[in-house]
Amino acid sequence: MSTPDTRDDLLIFERSHAGRRAMAQAPKALPAERLAAIPDSLRRRARPALPEVSELQVVRHYTNLSSKNFAIDKQFYPLGSCTMKYNPRGANRAAMLPGFLGRHPLAPESHSQGYLACLYELQEFLKEVTGMKGVSLTPMAGAQGEFAGVAMIRAYHEARNDQGRTEILIPEAAHGTNPATAVMCGYTVREVPVNRDGDVDLEALKAACGPQTAGLMMTNPSTCGVFERQIDAIAKTVHEAGGLLYYDGANLNAILGKVRPGDMGFDVIHMNLHKTFATPHGGGGPGAGPVGVSERLKPFLPTPIVGRDGDRYRWLDRNDLPQSIGQLSAFMGNAGVLLRAYFYARVLGREGMIRVGEYSTLAANYLLKRLEAVGCTAAYPERRASHEFLLTFAKEAKTLGVSAMDIAKRLLDYNQHAPTTYFPLLVPECFLIEPTETETKEALDAFVDAMAAILAEAKNDPELLKGAPWSQPVRRLDDVKAARELDLVWRE
Amino acid sequence: MSDIRAELRYASTHEWVRLEDDGTAYVGISDHAQDAMGDLVYVELPEVGQELEATDEAGVVESVKAASDIYAPVSGEVVAVNEALEDTPELVNQDPYGDGWLFRIRVADTAELEQLLSANDYREQLDSED
Amino acid sequence: MPYIPHTPDDVQAMLAAIGAERIEDLFDEIPEHLKAGRLDALPEGLSEMEVTALMARRASQDAGALCFLGAGAYEHHIPAAVWEIATRGEFYTAYTPYQAEASQGTLQTIYEFQTLMARLTGMDVSNASVYDGASGLSEAVLMALRANRKSKSGRVLMPQAVNPRYRQAVQDICVNQGVELVSVSLDRDSGTTLPAALSAHEGEDYAALVIAQPNFFGCLEDVHALTDWAHARGMLVIAVVNPTALALLTPPGEWGTEGADIVVGEGQPLGVPLSSGGPYFGFMCCKQKHVRQMPGRIIGRTVDLEGRPGFTLTLQAREQHIRRSKATSNICTNQGLAMTAATIYMSLLGPEGLENVAAHCHANTRDLVAALTALDGVSEAFTAPTFHEAVLRLPRPAAEVLPALAARGIIGGYDLGRDDPALADCVLVCATETRTAEDISAYAAALAAVLAEEAA
């Protein structure tokens, strides 16, 4: 039974025809005797059912699929805490240079000096811009950076034989990875409440701190989109209790070049290079989550790290760092992402880094004021926005019956990607909006116009919102069916 | 207004208990709890034979956007679980006090039942949460 | 200002709307003494042209050697279309597909990837990928401990035949969760894990046995016997496999009587360049009954309001953004771009193309072994059949021979003495389909010269 190939909603498997080959792609078949050394009992009985399609079919299929995505290259993409800034094409080209792509991860140092030089300099840049004393580039994502950071906190206490520190403190507005990470490192989690103005409840923190405190994980500016003003007092409280301070770098873009986590008293941080250093998100990865540490945590950094002897660069491994928390991947992490971040850092330079914090903050405060002027409700109206801010649609939900989700879906019809919704959970019906420094004023104004139009629709024709989106390849999807009747793999 | 059955006892964590004549008790989650969770897509149940203390974690109910632990309202040995929920978790939404029961426990100490909330107490708790 | 679009007029208009005079005023909630200084260690910014030239110089500095290294990362021909498509802006600059209606491209690609991996491994389900093979194995170990409810020991059998970098990463990632990895010795004749080595662990409680196919030394294990041994003792089986090899070898779903329970591996050979070790992706598949214990993103097919098929994130209640401290893992991404490339790669090669690649890898490595063992004092260290790597015993320590080869432009393999002093004169070599007969001759000539020099 053949299916018309022109339909754009087919799976690649539905385009397959037995015997069709993309001939140019693979070497010719070998005589069977060349495989005689492999015992029959270990041979596959039937070929895997990969699609049998032509090169053009593949190119057309995935090109058409790509067009069903929203992307920074196509739309304004103001996802809060995700820093969807422009991903420079120059960075991609530089990282895809044949010399970099072809280098084997275990190639000898004699054949790696160019690559190592880039990484060494990136380590130095990240140290300077965060105010930390040591950096390891190896964690492959923010979550792995978090893991490395908390594991170092644990290794530090253990190395001092400081027993009984079993608990990690986490503000209630924190990203879900923070508690998940603490548990992976063998800790229990205690949540610390957040005040009505978005700052941590300092009295509650003081009460929670004690000899059981291993550390506090926090994001500053916080996930509420405001700068934590009591950071000095928080650092003092945790340090006096013998705990260490972990900085979740999710919002580093807000303060890049303006405030350094090291100067705020943080002992360990992770950075999300796919946010702050403009490497691509790639539909959900790969990212990179380097960690930076204060002097006392340097011995525990994950390996490998790039060191320098005179004008030669070399890998530092466990032999150099015997107290290291060790190896988080087979090799040294997402090298290609690190090269893209290196490109970005070199193009920006000192002045450019400082401007990131300044202009991302300018864009967020401008967008907040304009949205308030068209009737949106700020969650923290008395506060400055950082590089992002929170709106709440609790009023609209109550009086008009439209949810933040309805508004988010309607935004897609206006060709605007929705902001982060329903995070953090402590603000009902919220949007977390992060415009970034790379969007023009016109792009910000267009988003305001879309929101104004949607708020009017919410009053006059709420069904337009509840049924949205109307303009996408699919309408709202049945997530309950997806979870109850799991269909994770195509079966003919 | 959610359905609260007068003949049942309730835990503050939204489980209900119905004591049977044979000393075992059915446990489920309240109408309020199933409504707050939304359409359930999965229910993780304890193992038959498992000994539970009151307030122990006994399972998990999951919707698309949330997951919530179920706590044992009383102590005892699990003697049966509602196997129908494996394929039809929606029974909890449709009939939380009947076909949507979760597990059955041999109550170690019936005095523990007295420490649970009555229907009136539970209603008061829900009212105060609003 | 690089990548920042605002004109002075824009800035004034924006500040006016905010009611601030200067940008600096927007930072007035930050205590003054915390503000950063001049960041003197950062260099001045450069133009795209200058940075590109600098990086091109450095990239070419590292290029040019002929590489016979494998040891977990393999050079394969990557069809041109793979990265042309994968780096299209619509894939490259999209975020995690949380807004499903505006992410059907990414979501359908992942669903196809899940299907391809399930078919290649012979398993029921797959996730959307994890960071890499090594971290994937650590996730598999933690998953096996959750899935095997009968085992209470927290112990997993980890043969010495598994890649030492994987073993180390698993140890380092799982150490704080009370996991104990118990080593299973390597048979030094065959280069494989023998049932006799397992019998030392008879009667003990283990949650799982890890089986690598091919193993780190390129040797083929008797996966059927190992799988059945583990299942007969209530253990789960975690397979660590090379995806190219699966075009020729029994898929883990068909190992022994019941098949492996969890399958992981390094996805790099499927269209991802060596690129100094990343970004790669780890693949992870399992039997249907364990799917709720699987970490990472999973895509499901469903229908929209009008009954049309569509794709969405599913089983999210396992994940950190909902379960927080009780999540299956803290992982929140997959290696989306690399996984997209692999999906395109597998579609382009098809079943016959992938088989031909695997066959050439195997044949070239056998040719390489034949050419090198023709030299005096060079022999194959192990007797077991191999896939596309093999261990050669040299008349000199590998730590002396390999730098001498490198000086002649040959990256000659992996020095096994790095991990095991007993193998200090052994080198792990690999010749994929990209190595030609001339390349192999060049290696043989260089090795002959190096050995002659050292003998002199």
Side-chain angles (χ1 to χ4, degrees):
Chain A
M1 213 10 232
S2 67
T3 339
D5 197 42
T6 46
R7 273 176 50 194
D8 78 340
D9 61 345
L10 296 182
L11 293 162
I12 191 73
F13 308 101
E14 296 173 286
R15 302 188 192 281
S16 179
H17 285 253
R20 186 175 288 155
R21 306 276 181 270
M23 284 303 292
Q25 307 295 342
K28 293 189 175 63
L30 284 177
E33 64 264 24
R34 295 300 319 262
L35 299 173
I38 300 177
D40 269 355
S41 66
L42 300 179
R43 285 291 301 273
R44 186 168 192 126
R45 288 194 293 272
R47 284 177 177 159
L50 308 183
E52 299 179 67
V53 283
S54 74
E55 178 165 340
L56 173 58
Q57 282 183 297
V58 172
V59 168
R60 191 173 287 162
H61 178 78
Y62 290 104
T63 301
N64 282 331
L65 273 189
S66 77
S67 73
K68 296 184 179 183
N69 276 356
F70 272 42
I72 300 171
D73 284 2
K74 290 166 69 184
Q75 283 96 0
F76 181 48
Y77 214 124
L79 274 176
S81 272
C82 299
T83 312
M84 301 298 282
K85 64 168 86 174
Y86 173 59
N87 306 146
R89 281 279 154 183
N92 186 50
R93 185 173 60 182
M96 303 272 281
L97 287 162
F100 289 135
L101 288 192
R103 188 187 160 277
H104 192 285
L106 300 173
E109 283 161 3
S110 59
H111 290 67
S112 309
Q113 290 296 306
Y115 170 68
L116 290 175
C118 294
L119 292 206
Y120 182 83
E121 288 173 15
L122 180 60
Q123 285 174 188
E124 295 300 306
F125 297 162
L126 295 180
K127 270 155 62 174
E128 176 72 3
V129 81
T130 59
M132 307 308 284
K133 296 293 186 265
V135 162
S136 167
L137 301 172
T138 179
M140 292 178 285
Q144 234 199 9
E146 279 185 37
F147 174 84
V150 178
M152 284 191 275
I153 290 176
R154 190 180 173 105
Y156 170 81
H157 291 309
E158 283 177 357
R160 288 158 46 93
N161 204 20
D162 189 351
Q163 309 286 350
R165 297 199 177 271
T166 56
E167 204 171 82
I168 292 280
L169 301 170
I170 299 176
E172 61 180 335
H175 198 265
T177 47
N178 291 173
T181 300
V183 168
M184 283 184 82
C185 292
Y187 286 116
T188 55
V189 172
R190 185 191 289 204
E191 295 210 333
V192 181
V194 170
N195 288 330
R196 282 178 179 278
D197 61 5
D199 284 340
V200 164
D201 182 338
L202 190 58
E203 291 312 310
L205 175 69
K206 285 179 177 163
C209 273
Q212 79 289 355
T213 304
L216 167 73
M217 297 178 84
M218 67 180 289
T219 311
N220 192 20
S222 73
T223 49
C224 298
V226 293
F227 189 85
E228 173 57 63
R229 292 168 292 192
Q230 321 161 90
I231 184 61
D232 281 332
I234 290 170
K236 188 161 175 279
T237 302
V238 174
H239 282 151
E240 281 181 358
L244 298 184
L245 236 64
Y246 182 93
Y247 182 86
D248 178 331
N251 293 341
L252 186 62
N253 212 58
I255 57 168
L256 197 68
K258 302 303 289 181
V259 186
R260 306 192 305 170
D263 299 336
M264 288 192 270
F266 286 94
D267 299 283
V268 50
I269 83 167
H270 85 264
M271 297 152 256
N272 297 293
L273 298 185
H274 45 286
K275 299 179 183 179
T276 319
F277 284 76
T279 71
H281 285 79
V291 282
V293 291
S294 60
E295 196 65 42
R296 56 179 163 174
L297 288 179
K298 270 170 77 176
F300 307 105
L301 280 168
T303 56
I305 297 169
V306 183
R308 187 167 71 172
D309 297 328
D311 61 353
R312 298 294 287 172
Y313 297 96
R314 70 178 185 94
W315 292 111
L316 305 180
D317 59 18
R318 259 217 174 78
N319 296 321
D320 305 282
L321 292 161
Q323 289 181 288
S324 164
I325 59 156
Q327 183 101 20
L328 303 173
S329 61
F331 302 109
M332 63 78 52
N334 285 336
V337 179
L338 300 173
L339 289 171
R340 287 172 175 83
Y342 174 75
F343 175 97
Y344 180 75
R346 290 307 303 256
V347 169
L348 259 60
R350 181 195 311 133
E351 289 301 314
M353 294 272 182
I354 295 171
R355 281 195 290 258
V356 167
E358 290 179 345
Y359 285 88
S360 62
T361 302
L362 175 67
N365 279 282
Y366 171 71
L367 190 56
L368 171 59
K369 286 293 179 219
R370 292 249 16 234
L371 286 168
E372 282 184 290
V374 299
C376 293
T377 308
Y380 302 107
E382 307 302 315
R383 301 291 306 266
R384 289 278 189 214
S386 61
H387 67 318
E388 63 186 359
F389 56 90
L390 269 171
L391 299 180
T392 173
F393 298 98
K395 187 182 69 192
E396 286 78 5
K398 200 157 190 175
T399 59
L400 305 171
V402 298
S403 65
M405 184 59 72
D406 297 329
I407 298 170
K409 297 297 184 195
R410 186 61 179 151
L411 272 168
L412 303 178
D413 288 332
Y414 282 84
N415 205 31
Q416 306 278 344
H417 197 279
T420 299
T421 50
Y422 298 97
F423 177 80
L425 291 168
L426 79 165
V427 176
E429 299 295 333
C430 67
F431 269 14
L432 185 60
I433 304 180
E434 178 180 1
T436 84
E437 71 277 10
T438 61
E439 295 291 341
T440 61
K441 178 171 169 294
E442 303 91 275
L444 305 180
D445 290 339
F447 182 77
V448 174
D449 293 344
M451 285 296 293
I454 293 170
L455 287 179
E457 290 171 351
K459 293 194 184 80
N460 304 326
D461 191 359
E463 294 310 312
L464 264 181
L465 278 61
K466 290 179 194 170
W470 305 89
S471 58
Q472 299 304 309
V474 291
R475 300 277 306 282
R476 273 190 225 189
L477 293 157
D478 187 343
D479 289 334
V480 173
K481 177 181 164 69
R484 280 186 186 158
E485 301 162 31
L486 288 178
D487 175 357
L488 312 179
V489 162
W490 174 249
R491 298 189 205 284
E492 322 260 343
Chain B
M1 184 60 96
S2 65
D3 178 9
I4 298 177
R5 303 280 169 94
E7 69 276 18
L8 305 177
R9 305 293 287 189
Y10 299 85
S12 60
T13 46
H14 308 288
E15 295 83 6
W16 57 257
V17 188
R18 188 177 72 227
L19 187 64
E20 302 290 308
D21 294 340
D22 64 357
T24 67
Y26 284 90
V27 177
I29 63 170
S30 71
D31 183 49
H32 169 84
Q34 71 76 19
D35 188 56
M37 287 292 296
D39 291 328
L40 293 188
V41 296
Y42 184 65
V43 179
E44 186 182 308
L45 295 169
E47 287 179 64
V48 173
Q50 197 176 336
E51 290 285 346
L52 294 169
E53 296 285 322
T55 75
D56 277 358
E57 285 172 19
V60 183
V61 287
E62 289 181 11
S63 67
V64 172
K65 301 282 184 225
S68 182
D69 290 319
I70 303 160
Y71 300 94
V74 292
S75 307
E77 180 194 342
V78 177
V79 294
V81 297
N82 187 354
E83 282 165 8
L85 300 182
E86 193 173 324
D87 292 325
T88 47
E90 56 268 35
L91 287 175
V92 179
N93 296 114
Q94 292 160 2
D95 190 8
Y97 298 113
D99 289 344
W101 63 280
L102 301 180
F103 58 92
R104 198 168 170 185
I105 192 166
R106 187 177 311 285
V107 180
D109 177 5
T110 49
E112 279 182 1
L113 284 163
E114 301 307 312
Q115 293 171 17
L116 295 171
L117 303 175
S118 68
N120 279 338
D121 296 339
Y122 184 59
R123 180 171 300 287
E124 271 178 36
Q125 175 184 319
L126 296 188
D127 289 346
S128 71
E129 280 175 7
D130 273 345
Chain C
M1 297 188 287
Y3 314 125
I4 297 176
H6 305 304
T7 66
D9 287 347
D10 290 337
V11 173
Q12 283 318 309
M14 292 163 82
L15 285 170
I18 297 166
E21 278 183 26
R22 303 170 310 145
I23 290 178
E24 196 56 36
D25 296 347
L26 305 177
F27 294 90
D28 56 7
E29 290 187 3
I30 299 178
E32 203 55 41
H33 68 276
L34 289 180
K35 299 227 174 121
R38 292 161 34 89
L39 305 180
D40 283 333
L42 294 178
E44 293 296 327
L46 299 173
S47 68
E48 177 181 295
M49 180 178 79
E50 291 166 312
V51 181
T52 304
L54 167 74
M55 291 180 74
R57 250 190 337 270
R58 288 185 174 166
S60 60
Q61 203 182 334
D62 295 347
L66 197 52
C67 184
F68 293 89
L69 257 174
Y74 304 93
E75 182 183 339
H76 291 288
H77 172 71
I78 301 172
V82 171
W83 285 92
E84 293 268 340
I85 305 289
T87 54
R88 284 179 64 87
E90 299 90 333
F91 283 130
Y92 189 73
T93 71
Y95 188 66
T96 301
Y98 286 132
Q99 294 291 342
E101 301 86 349
S103 314
Q104 287 296 301
T106 292
L107 287 163
Q108 182 175 331
T109 303
I110 298 175
Y111 180 82
E112 293 180 357
F113 168 79
Q114 290 173 179
T115 303
L116 289 163
M117 292 319 302
R119 291 179 175 191
L120 195 57
T121 58
M123 302 300 285
D124 299 326
V125 291
S126 162
N127 72 10
S129 78
V130 293
Y131 304 130
D132 79 338
S135 63
L137 180 56
S138 69
E139 292 285 8
V141 164
L142 295 170
M143 175 179 164
L145 294 175
R146 291 189 296 270
N148 191 342
R149 286 214 206 173
K150 292 204 180 74
S151 173
K152 308 289 179 200
S153 65
R155 296 197 300 177
V156 169
L157 284 174
M158 180 72 84
Q160 287 180 320
V162 175
N163 186 329
R165 289 169 170 272
Y166 283 35
R167 285 187 274 137
Q168 188 64 54
V170 174
Q171 173 68 30
D172 292 339
I173 292 171
C174 300
V175 63
N176 292 321
Q177 295 186 78
V179 179
E180 188 189 347
L181 303 176
V182 177
S183 189
V184 182
S185 61
L186 176 77
D187 175 57
R188 302 249 167 194
D189 291 327
S190 66
T192 63
T193 308
L194 294 185
L198 291 171
S199 63
H201 305 278
E202 202 70 57
E204 303 273 325
D205 174 14
Y206 299 99
L209 167 67
V210 177
I211 305 172
Q213 182 76 328
N215 70 25
F216 180 61
F217 305 104
C219 296
L220 299 182
E221 302 274 6
D222 183 354
V223 290
H224 305 296
L226 297 176
T227 299
D228 287 343
W229 183 89
H231 281 154
R233 287 153 186 83
M235 301 176 204
L236 297 180
V237 168
I238 301 171
V240 185
V241 290
N242 177 303
T244 309
L246 289 181
L248 290 177
L249 302 181
T250 314
E254 296 172 18
W255 289 3
T257 313
E258 294 171 39
D261 300 279
I262 304 169
V263 181
V264 292
E266 176 54 68
Q268 177 271 331
L270 299 173
V272 180
L274 288 171
S275 185
S276 291
Y280 295 172
F281 69 92
F283 58 86
M284 188 165 205
C285 304
C286 70
K287 289 183 178 166
Q288 182 80 36
K289 65 179 173 185
H290 299 311
V291 66
R292 286 176 185 278
Q293 301 303 336
M294 186 154 62
R297 188 164 298 152
I298 298 174
I299 304 308
R301 190 165 177 269
T302 182
V303 295
D304 75 357
L305 283 173
E306 294 169 15
R308 285 177 301 194
F311 304 88
T312 187
L313 292 166
T314 194
L315 293 177
Q316 291 189 77
R318 301 161 299 117
E319 296 191 67
Q320 46 75 31
H321 61 281
I322 291 178
R323 280 301 258 163
R324 297 176 77 85
S325 63
K326 289 180 177 165
T328 50
S329 166
N330 74 346
I331 194 165
C332 17
T333 47
N334 63 340
Q335 297 279 100
L337 272 187
M339 179 226 82
T340 300
T343 306
I344 300 169
Y345 176 88
M346 284 186 273
S347 299
L348 281 170
L349 264 69
E352 188 182 339
L354 193 65
E355 183 179 295
N356 289 351
V357 168
H360 277 264
C361 291
H362 173 77
N364 284 351
T365 298
R366 291 325 301 167
D367 288 349
L368 176 68
V369 169
L372 299 183
T373 54
L375 302 175
D376 266 354
V378 180
S379 60
E380 192 162 5
F382 299 125
T383 58
T386 61
F387 171 55
H388 71 348
E389 288 182 273
V391 178
L392 297 178
R393 200 174 283 282
L394 305 175
R396 306 273 159 164
E400 291 172 17
V401 174
L402 289 173
L405 284 170
R408 292 166 181 269
I410 304 273
I411 298 177
Y414 181 78
D415 172 7
L416 289 169
R418 286 168 66 155
D419 311 302
D420 184 349
L423 300 176
D425 57 353
C426 288
V427 56
L428 179 67
V429 297
C430 172
T432 66
E433 85 279 13
T434 60
R435 292 291 80 89
T436 63
E438 292 73 37
D439 295 341
I440 289 169
S441 300
Y443 187 177
L447 182 59
V450 166
L451 293 178
E453 252 173 34
E454 287 183 4

